[in-house]
Amino acid sequence: SDVYKRQQLCNKYTFDDKIEITNDLHLLFSKMCNHDNSNLVYIDSRYLKLIVKYNIDVNIIQDYISSIIENVLLTNEKYNLHINLKSLSVTDFNKYNSLLHSMILMFRSKFVNKITKCYLYNTSYVFKLIHSFFKKFVSKEEQNDIIFVKE
């Protein structure tokens, strides 16, 4: 199906096998969140972790991601979100809990009914933690739009 092809393309081609360590914040932001010429938005948690190390304000990170989504919505009614959670450990998840929570609230308030599906990749180690985390903040309807992609 078309969704399956998009999942495969996202998983195989969009997320780098190795992360690029750099001091170039512009590059880090573009690797953390980007989009293609359709309605697909990609977030890579490995780059988010690098950006957070620079003590960048959460609002700046949210504004950047928000601007990417807004750009996609200029030409599309809805968007699909693909998130790479590779290397996100339980410790990381606990460490960034408030950041993730505020991002979920931002998505819910700013982009109501604009997301088609959210695909989560590389969740094997923290699957249960992530799932229980999302259940607290996401309605049953929204939970059906979250897809954990098995490797």
Side-chain angles (χ1 to χ4, degrees):
S1 74
D2 189 43
V3 172
Y4 179 76
K5 287 177 186 174
R6 285 184 180 190
Q7 288 175 5
Q8 294 305 310
L9 283 172
C10 178
N11 198 26
K12 189 171 183 180
Y13 301 110
T14 304
F15 300 122
D16 301 330
D17 288 333
K18 292 183 176 181
I19 60 171
E20 189 172 335
I21 306 294
T22 179
N23 290 328
D24 181 347
L25 284 175
H26 178 71
L27 179 62
L28 289 176
F29 269 85
S30 68
K31 294 280 192 175
M32 173 197 60
C33 183
N34 59 62
H35 68 92
D36 62 9
N37 291 329
S38 67
N39 70 337
L40 304 179
V41 175
Y42 309 101
I43 297 176
D44 193 327
S45 67
R46 298 171 301 168
Y47 289 100
L48 179 62
K49 285 170 54 175
L50 288 174
I51 290 170
V52 169
K53 287 182 181 178
Y54 284 98
N55 293 318
I56 303 294
D57 186 280
V58 171
N59 292 319
I60 293 172
I61 296 169
Q62 287 180 314
D63 288 348
Y64 179 80
I65 294 171
S66 180
S67 71
I68 296 291
I69 295 170
E70 287 168 351
N71 195 10
V72 168
L73 293 174
L74 289 174
T75 56
N76 298 279
E77 188 176 319
K78 293 187 173 205
Y79 70 99
N80 283 298
L81 183 61
H82 295 262
I83 304 174
N84 182 14
L85 296 169
K86 188 172 186 172
S87 83
L88 190 68
S89 67
V90 173
T91 304
D92 291 331
F93 195 78
N94 288 327
K95 185 177 180 180
Y96 306 125
N97 195 315
S98 63
L99 169 66
L100 295 170
H101 180 249
S102 69
M103 288 177 72
I104 289 169
L105 292 177
M106 183 267 299
F107 282 120
R108 289 180 75 199
S109 66
K110 196 166 188 176
F111 302 110
V112 176
N113 299 322
K114 293 296 181 182
I115 189 166
T116 305
K117 295 285 182 190
C118 176
Y119 299 93
L120 301 174
Y121 298 86
N122 301 307
T123 60
S124 56
Y125 295 114
V126 291
F127 172 80
K128 288 181 183 175
L129 183 62
I130 292 168
H131 188 55
S132 63
F133 179 80
F134 279 112
K135 284 175 85 170
K136 294 177 190 173
F137 306 107
V138 178
S139 71
K140 282 273 191 204
E141 220 173 64
E142 292 168 318
Q143 286 179 40
N144 293 333
D145 293 336
I146 298 172
I147 299 168
F148 291 88
V149 180
K150 293 184 179 182
E151 299 304 310

